[in-house]
Structure formats: C-alpha cells, structure tokens
Amino acid sequence: MRLTRSFIALLTLALALMAAMVFTGPAQAAGPSYVALGDSYSAGNGAGNYISSSGDCHRSNSAYPALWAGAHSPSSFTFAACSGAVTTDVTNSQLGSLSSSTGLVTITIGGNDAGFSDVMTTCVTGTESTCVSRVNTAETYMRNTLPARLDAVYNAIRAKAPAARVVVLGYPRVYTLNTFCVGLTDTDHQKIDEAADLLDTTISTRAAAHGFVFGDVRSTFNSHELCSGDDWLHSLVVSPTWESYHPTATGHASGYLPVLNAND
C-alpha cells in the first residue's frame, strides 16, 4: 500500500509538470536592449499622453519608441529623445545608455539643425517670398553643413554601440499638394515639402554610408499630411505651441511605428 501511494504521488506530480509545460509553452525571450535617441519627432511632441518626469523634453507614452517598447518587451528601454534636440545635443547628452550590449537604436535628428521651427514660423507669419527665401537658406544648410553633423552623430553611436542595429527614421512631408487649404499658398506648401524631401535624402544618404537602416515615413504619411482631410500632423497649435507641425498620436501609431516594425 505504501508503494502504491508513493507511485500515485509521483505520477500525479509528473502529470502536473507535463501539463504546465504544455499550457505555458517555452519561455519568451526578452527583446533587445533598446535606446531611442533624437528630437521632438521621436520624443512625441503632439502625441499627448506626456511623461510628466520628462519635463521640457515632452516625451510621450504614445510616441513610436514607447509604442515599440510596449509591444516588444525589450530587455531594457531608454527613452533619451528630447524636444528641440540638434545633432550636438545627441552627442553631448543622449548617448550615455549606449553600450556593447545595446541591440537597437532609433533616431530622428537633423530637422532642428536645418531650422525647421524657424522655417515654419517664417512661412506662417511672413510673405510668400520670405518663406521661399528662408526655405532656400535651409536647403543650402542641408547640402553643405548637415551631412558632416550627421556623420558625427552616427560615428558616435557606432562607437558606443558597436553591435546595435541602428534605424534612422526620416520626416514626413508637411502638406498634401494641389488641394484647397486655408492658410499658406501653394508655393509655400511646395517649397516646404521640397525641403522635407531634401532633408530625408540627406539623412538617408549619410545613414547608408554608416551601414544604418533608413526608415522612410513619407509613404505611410502619404495622404495624411496637412490639407489632406485626414491629417496625422498638427497644424498651428495655439497652446501648447510646441505641438505645432508635429505628428499626432495616430501619426506615431500609424505613420512611424509600422516603418520601425518593418526595419527593426
């Protein structure tokens, strides 16, 4: 009788262990260590749901880095992107979490170096000719100065995270063209989009030179720019003004996140 009871107990334990293995399945491996760098287009200006502790960086839990981290459970997640950042801000203050164990890095950078905010302010408040002139100045900067600044950032990232997959995300065009839209002129719209295309081309070229992946969001934002009727970007926002001309929460979830998912 003692042997039978012992045998039954062991059999019961074995069956319980087998059931646990069947129903729980294999353990899920944690995703790569992820560091999100960059400017307001990565921080999430305009997406709402802001992280109060991020202060003037305006990081959002609805921005594409936070959305990706929530869906992929990385082994660690550092959200370093900050509103207003230029290339030197990234190299000086955002790279502290990068290491040889970092598996994924994302970044948007270059728009502020080229004067995106001043371009939009000039175009909104000035004449068509002043808008065109300011865009031309920004384009000259993109051709002559920005490439070396991007190289400095990309070199620093690779030096600190030699094994990481680096996904450099671009910027959407701001306007849908050839549609009725109150505000700026068609010429203004065309020049601003022309600058966005040049900015993306410049970033893509320098990213490729460093072996990084370029994530082009112009395709996902297509027909969702301002004046489209289904805008994934904010137009001029009175309060807070820093949300102006930035992606909405939908822009991050449907514009940026799919591009990152396709290239991570």
Side-chain angles (χ1 to χ4, degrees), residues 19 55 68 88 102 112 116 121-122 137 145 175 233 243 249 255 260:
W68 190 94
T88 51
T102 302
N112 291 323
F116 172 76
T121 299
T122 300
T137 298
T145 305
Y175 292 100
L233 294 160
E243 288 191 335
L260 176 54

Side-chain angles (χ1 to χ4, degrees), residues 201-213:
T201 297
T202 303
I203 292 170
S204 174
T205 299
R206 299 321 309 153
H210 292 263
F212 297 166
V213 177

